[in-house]
Amino acid sequence: MWQQSETYPDPRVEALDPRFAKLVHFHAAVERVATGMRWSEGPVWFGDQNCVVWSDIPNNRMMRFDAGTNAVSVFRAPANNSNGNTRDREGRLVTCEHRTRRVTRTEYDGSVTVLVDRFAGKRLNSPNDVVVKSDGSVWFSDPVFGILGDYEGEPAASETPMAFYRFDPKTGQATIVADGIDGPNGLCFSPDEKKLYVVESASRPRNLYVYDVVADGTKLANKRPFGTCGDGTPDGIRCDAHGNVWAGWGMVPGLNGVRVFAPDGTVLGQIHLPERCANLCFGGAAKNRLFMAASQSLYALYVNVRGA
């Protein structure tokens, strides 16, 4: 049974490198702010509404946590077994949908626009996670997880190889930016957008890679390992303002939660949760509240760094 720490520092926040002490608060504890989901994913912060929206994939709904009142409500249902979420440069919600095998944008009036659902005339697999670059381009992963069964989508044949994509809303064109990855999953840019970090979640062991963003900012090069996963399983990832990588982690007892890496790949620390963390985002008025979507719950922790 979950119990919030009554003492500071919270023993669930574990430093594995002295540099981690600068990233966390002594007087802050991990909070469970919502529970009752089946598989929580894709949290995204809405500062203008002071809330977090996230996906509950098997329940085919999106949830909303109001950071002012602590109220939890259904944001959207049905939600096409949505997974990853982010916001574009105009503040519109961008969502990966398993069931419809597409990436969509929710307009200001609530209508939904399909951004991309095909590549080279063939259907995508099941878009998983998504980020938007400063030029407005939408970068997303497309593994097969959502078409393997009925729990997170519906069974279907794969028509395209698993890959990471870049979609340009201005031209309507999608391009493959990275392929040959077994289970492409989480992705995030470094604060200066000169690097892209990605997760390979179906390999054994799992892998984290980093690419250089080259040319006019539309292509990747120089793929190389980033950090080590060991027995852990990375999922969704985000960078903070200093370039540290915060990764949803778990599937092994003692490793469930969030693992934090320095820009050089060194493991800095671990936030331990009783459930595997699938994805995370920074939010709050100062962008210093870490929200962690983990299995059946949503957790939060105030940290001493802002999201990138």
Side-chain angles (χ1 to χ4, degrees), residues 84-86 94-96 103 128-132 138-140 187 238:
N85 298 283
T86 191
V94 177
T95 300
C96 293
V103 180
N128 184 284
D129 205 357
V130 59
V131 293
V132 175
V138 179
W139 299 58
F140 65 96
L187 70 166
R238 293 291 181 266

Side-chain angles (χ1 to χ4, degrees), residues 220-238:
L220 302 177
N222 305 322
K223 174 187 174 183
R224 55 200 182 275
F226 175 77
T228 56
C229 296
D231 293 331
T233 299
D235 203 328
I237 53 177
R238 293 291 181 266

Side-chain angles (χ1 to χ4, degrees), residues 127-236:
N128 184 284
D129 205 357
V130 59
V131 293
V132 175
K133 198 168 177 284
S134 61
D135 63 1
S137 59
V138 179
W139 299 58
F140 65 96
S141 56
D142 186 39
V144 296
F145 306 143
I147 58 174
L148 296 179
D150 293 305
Y151 193 59
E152 297 185 14
E154 59 184 15
S158 173
E159 300 178 24
T160 56
M162 294 187 290
F164 287 95
Y165 288 85
R166 177 187 184 271
F167 174 75
D168 187 345
K170 299 174 185 176
T171 65
Q173 297 299 310
T175 56
I176 292 177
V177 291
D179 55 10
I181 294 178
D182 191 4
N185 204 318
L187 70 166
C188 70
F189 286 102
S190 59
D192 60 8
E193 296 186 337
K194 292 182 178 180
K195 296 178 181 178
L196 181 74
Y197 300 93
V198 305
V199 171
E200 180 178 51
S201 61
S203 60
R204 298 294 187 276
R206 279 83 172 183
N207 292 301
L208 286 163
Y209 293 109
V210 58
Y211 292 83
D212 293 326
V213 182
V214 298
D216 56 355
T218 64
K219 295 179 174 61
L220 302 177
N222 305 322
K223 174 187 174 183
R224 55 200 182 275
F226 175 77
T228 56
C229 296
D231 293 331
T233 299
D235 203 328

Side-chain angles (χ1 to χ4, degrees), residues 226-289:
F226 175 77
T228 56
C229 296
D231 293 331
T233 299
D235 203 328
I237 53 177
R238 293 291 181 266
C239 267
D240 66 28
H242 300 309
N244 302 300
V245 177
W246 300 63
W249 211 257
M251 289 186 70
V252 177
L255 293 182
N256 288 328
V258 173
R259 179 150 288 198
V260 185
F261 295 84
D264 63 8
T266 303
V267 177
L268 297 180
Q270 177 91 17
I271 301 167
H272 294 277
L273 300 176
E275 308 172 76
R276 175 192 169 186
C277 180
N279 215 328
L280 58 145
C281 73
F282 290 90
K287 293 179 67 178
N288 67 336
R289 194 178 189 189

